[in-house]
Amino acid sequence: MSDAMGPGHSRRKERSRQAILAATRALVAEEAYEKVTVEAIAARAGVGKQTIYRRWPSKSAVVFAALLALSEDADGQSITLPDTGDLEADLKLVMRASVKEFADPSFDRLIRALTTEIAQDAALAAEYREKLAEPLDAAKKARLRSAQRAGRLDAEADLDLVLDAAVPRRG
């Protein structure tokens, strides 16, 4: 259907989606999560609330989408880790970026709101695992496998254990 409406329609839909996600992040950063409403998000984004409800079933789903969008690159691809060939440097870069992210009060409020919602909403928890937690673990394992192939990590290392420990074993 959107193809029949032309590329301009698709661009408008994407601009609208980006505006909604940015408005969601801004409002959660400014307000207590409980005070943020779909109506407020719609007003900030300059769209009708039905535009939001057509895409997301709830405020918590929009908040999750806003968080998930932070992990996408310009092409909409999610979660890739650096692979310069130097595992230690790459892991330090990822850890520094993670620390910086969690030190940002607006990100902290967003992740706290989402964590609260996930604890209460099994469907959202499943979507979180499917779209963020599992792909992130897969990206980390892919990076560790690359290190194993390059001889930078013990070829017999249990990657799940390495991930759990968050400390790379030197091979």
Side-chain angles (χ1 to χ4, degrees), residues 12-142:
R12 280 190 304 277
K13 280 180 70 173
E14 181 56 21
R15 280 194 304 271
S16 175
R17 183 181 86 87
Q18 291 300 327
I20 291 165
L21 299 178
T24 301
R25 287 188 295 268
L27 284 168
V28 171
E30 295 167 11
E31 302 275 340
Y33 173 74
E34 299 75 28
K35 292 182 180 180
V36 175
T37 63
V38 170
E39 291 79 5
I41 294 168
R44 174 75 64 98
V47 301
K49 70 180 181 179
Q50 284 310 111
T51 300
I52 294 174
Y53 282 122
R54 273 194 295 272
R55 186 172 282 227
W56 297 284
S58 64
K59 175 178 79 169
S60 59
V62 180
V63 170
F64 175 62
L67 177 69
L68 188 60
L70 294 174
S71 68
E72 295 174 350
D73 64 17
D75 297 324
Q77 298 298 311
S78 294
I79 310 174
T80 56
L81 298 180
D83 189 348
T84 64
D86 184 339
L87 179 61
E88 184 176 347
D90 292 346
L91 291 176
K92 284 179 180 179
L93 180 66
V94 169
M95 286 185 177
R96 284 186 191 112
S98 296
V99 168
K100 183 178 178 184
E101 200 170 52
F102 280 97
D104 179 345
S106 61
F107 180 82
D108 181 59
R109 289 182 86 155
L110 188 64
I111 197 72
R112 285 178 187 262
L114 184 63
T115 301
T116 300
E117 291 299 315
I118 285 172
Q120 300 170 20
D121 183 339
L124 184 62
E127 186 177 11
Y128 175 85
R129 278 189 304 279
E130 175 191 333
K131 292 184 177 177
L132 191 59
E134 291 170 0
L136 182 57
D137 281 351
K140 289 175 184 176
K141 283 184 182 180

Side-chain angles (χ1 to χ4, degrees), residues 83 85 87 142-154:
D83 189 348
L87 179 61
R143 178 60 188 97
L144 293 174
R145 278 189 209 95
S146 174
Q148 285 177 318
R149 286 190 299 274
R152 305 283 295 171
L153 181 65
D154 185 325

